[in-house]
Amino acid sequence: MKRFINSVNKILIVNSSSGNLIQNSLKNFNTFNSIHLLRTEKNLNFTYFLKEKKIKYKFLNSKSNEKLSNDILNYALKIKCDYIVLVFNKIIVGKILKVYKRRIFNLHPSYSLKFKGLNADKMLRKSNYKYIGSCFHEVISKVDQGKIIRKFKISKKTKNLEEINFNTKCKFFLEFIEELMFVYMKFN
């Protein structure tokens, strides 16, 4: 099934990090009225950025995965978002997986879902794999096992690897957000 977009889709980004990736990805982006952000970490510089760009945001202080998942679902339904994008180190569980089935995507820190969980990027770096990178995958009830939607990889031998990986990840993130907002997505 193809879903063609006649208007701009509303995206909810859920972030549990410092916000550097999102800030660098969106610094030259202009369509902020379609982006909302939920945050679990307070970072003053990132907060200034969100206010400057007039991005709507809210802090979550949920301790359990169940409570956090319910809080995300309630906010997503309140703002009537079309997609949820996770830049996130928590596990989503419960009703949200049914309500937003095939519309929740996670930015995984490895281009392969063979490496699961929080330390996936570190496991990938220590492995015999010749590349590092990231992927977006659908979020399902099994952790880091949803269908990979898009990925990138960079040779571990690349000069200035950390900087190039971060910059590539920022571009990768922005392109995915733009695709969700403006272009059609294919769903099988």
Side-chain angles (χ1 to χ4, degrees), residues 150-171:
R150 173 183 283 185
K151 65 181 174 181
F152 79 89
K153 57 186 182 179
I154 301 170
S155 171
K156 287 182 180 179
K157 295 179 182 177
T158 303
K159 205 173 188 180
N160 301 323
L161 181 60
E162 294 305 318
E163 179 182 345
I164 290 171
N165 185 45
F166 180 75
N167 291 337
T168 304
K169 193 180 286 188
C170 290
K171 183 180 178 197

Side-chain angles (χ1 to χ4, degrees), residues 119-171:
N119 297 314
D121 55 339
K122 292 174 186 158
M123 290 184 277
L124 177 61
R125 288 172 194 276
K126 290 179 182 179
S127 75
N128 292 332
Y129 281 51
K130 295 178 182 176
Y131 301 94
I132 63 168
S134 292
C135 71
F136 275 105
H137 67 87
E138 290 180 358
V139 175
I140 61 174
S141 60
K142 297 175 184 169
V143 176
D144 292 338
Q145 291 189 31
K147 178 182 174 186
I148 292 178
I149 304 299
R150 173 183 283 185
K151 65 181 174 181
F152 79 89
K153 57 186 182 179
I154 301 170
S155 171
K156 287 182 180 179
K157 295 179 182 177
T158 303
K159 205 173 188 180
N160 301 323
L161 181 60
E162 294 305 318
E163 179 182 345
I164 290 171
N165 185 45
F166 180 75
N167 291 337
T168 304
K169 193 180 286 188
C170 290
K171 183 180 178 197

Side-chain angles (χ1 to χ4, degrees), residues 3 5 9 11 29 83 149-150 172-186:
R3 179 177 176 195
I5 294 162
N9 284 320
I11 312 297
F29 193 66
Y83 297 100
I149 304 299
R150 173 183 283 185
F172 179 69
F173 180 81
L174 177 60
E175 288 171 353
F176 189 74
I177 294 297
E178 287 176 331
E179 185 175 338
L180 286 177
M181 289 176 71
F182 302 114
V183 188
Y184 74 92
M185 292 288 295
K186 287 183 181 179

Side-chain angles (χ1 to χ4, degrees), residues 74-159:
N74 291 335
Y75 189 75
L77 292 172
K78 178 182 174 183
I79 65 167
K80 298 178 181 163
C81 79
D82 298 293
Y83 297 100
I84 300 172
V85 177
L86 307 174
V87 183
F88 203 54
N89 62 5
K90 308 286 186 200
I91 298 171
I92 299 297
V93 296
K95 186 176 176 182
I96 190 171
L97 296 172
K98 290 180 183 151
V99 174
Y100 278 90
K101 184 178 182 179
R102 307 192 81 197
R103 295 185 296 146
I104 305 174
F105 304 99
N106 181 47
L107 177 60
H108 188 68
S110 166
Y111 71 89
S112 169
L113 294 180
K114 176 181 178 184
F115 303 98
K116 300 184 184 327
L118 291 177
N119 297 314
D121 55 339
K122 292 174 186 158
M123 290 184 277
L124 177 61
R125 288 172 194 276
K126 290 179 182 179
S127 75
N128 292 332
Y129 281 51
K130 295 178 182 176
Y131 301 94
I132 63 168
S134 292
C135 71
F136 275 105
H137 67 87
E138 290 180 358
V139 175
I140 61 174
S141 60
K142 297 175 184 169
V143 176
D144 292 338
Q145 291 189 31
K147 178 182 174 186
I148 292 178
I149 304 299
R150 173 183 283 185
K151 65 181 174 181
F152 79 89
K153 57 186 182 179
I154 301 170
S155 171
K156 287 182 180 179
K157 295 179 182 177
T158 303
K159 205 173 188 180

Side-chain angles (χ1 to χ4, degrees), residues 42-89:
K42 292 190 178 184
N43 175 314
L44 204 51
N45 289 334
F46 190 41
T47 302
Y48 288 139
F49 169 79
L50 295 172
K51 286 180 180 179
E52 175 189 323
K53 296 292 186 177
K54 297 181 177 151
I55 298 174
K56 297 172 184 127
Y57 69 93
K58 180 179 176 181
F59 288 103
L60 292 179
N61 194 19
S62 310
K63 300 296 180 199
S64 71
N65 290 335
E66 293 82 11
K67 174 84 168 99
L68 184 65
S69 297
N70 286 334
D71 288 348
I72 294 168
L73 174 61
N74 291 335
Y75 189 75
L77 292 172
K78 178 182 174 183
I79 65 167
K80 298 178 181 163
C81 79
D82 298 293
Y83 297 100
I84 300 172
V85 177
L86 307 174
V87 183
F88 203 54
N89 62 5

